[in-house]
Amino acid sequence: MASINPGRTTHRYDGELVVFHIGMTVNKWWRPDQWMPLMGDMPRMLRELSTDPDSGLLGFTMLLGSRGPYLVQYWSSLDKLYAYASAPVQEHRPAWTRFNQRARKNPGAVGIWHETHVVERAETIYVATPPMGLPRATEIVPVASRHDRARARVADGRTGGAAAPAGATD
């Protein structure tokens, strides 16, 4: 069991930050032949990414929704995320090909979805929790007195790699 961080903590991170949500929806629970293979593909991809310090994956959290599992992943670069997704010799491309082949034979049995967010600012607070989420993927730091409020944390939560909106000036 992970140790509990006493008190209030937040994260610190300076660099491009990409939050990637990916999951599957099990639409036909009675067809485990269609969704179980997907359950085996993701651990292989996560193991591959986690053992490569240059992959760009900072960390991840696996969750279970009412329609199936999904992951929240933290990436150091949008380019690294896209590079992994398109690399023919890594686990993702063959898994994606297998999914598409099964989906053509049994349409609608299982769905795949993802969302990609390039983050300009991020605010977090964790009270008496084990390391998790963005702080676990980056750096866990105590909440300082000047960051007692969410508004103060988000004001200082600019990530270093996010581009400023068009027309914005410093």
Side-chain angles (χ1 to χ4, degrees):
M1 178 183 265
S3 64
I4 303 298
N5 288 322
R8 299 168 356 131
T9 59
T10 187
H11 79 282
R12 180 172 31 227
Y13 182 71
D14 184 27
E16 183 176 357
L17 179 62
V18 176
V19 178
F20 182 68
H21 296 247
I22 185 166
M24 70 179 203
T25 59
V26 178
N27 301 322
K28 296 179 180 176
W29 287 100
W30 60 93
R31 294 299 312 263
D33 60 311
Q34 296 303 303
W35 52 266
M36 285 298 287
L38 291 174
M39 302 275 293
D41 284 336
M42 189 55 74
R44 284 192 296 276
M45 286 184 264
L46 291 172
R47 190 170 26 262
E48 178 178 62
L49 288 162
S50 296
T51 58
D52 178 4
D54 295 326
S55 70
L57 182 69
L58 298 171
F60 63 90
T61 301
M62 183 170 286
L63 304 163
L64 185 59
S66 62
R67 299 295 298 262
Y70 69 98
L71 290 165
V72 178
Q73 297 179 346
Y74 304 98
W75 287 78
S76 66
S77 159
L78 189 60
D79 288 340
K80 288 185 177 188
L81 171 62
Y82 288 165
Y84 180 73
S86 62
V89 296
Q90 293 185 290
E91 291 287 339
H92 177 264
R93 290 303 302 167
W96 184 240
T97 299
R98 288 190 301 273
F99 166 75
N100 284 312
Q101 290 168 343
R102 282 192 300 271
R104 278 192 290 281
K105 291 179 184 173
N106 296 286
V110 63
I112 297 291
W113 62 271
H114 79 256
E115 299 175 358
T116 306
H117 307 271
V118 178
V119 179
E120 180 182 340
R121 294 180 186 271
E123 182 272 328
T124 59
I125 190 164
Y126 294 81
V127 180
T129 67
M132 58 192 288
L134 186 54
R136 181 175 178 205
T138 59
E139 181 183 359
I140 298 170
V141 294
V143 172
S145 61
R146 72 183 207 95
H147 291 105
D148 190 45
R149 302 268 187 224
R151 187 175 302 276
R153 290 189 303 277
V154 80
D156 283 351
R158 180 176 300 279
T159 58
T169 58
D170 281 341

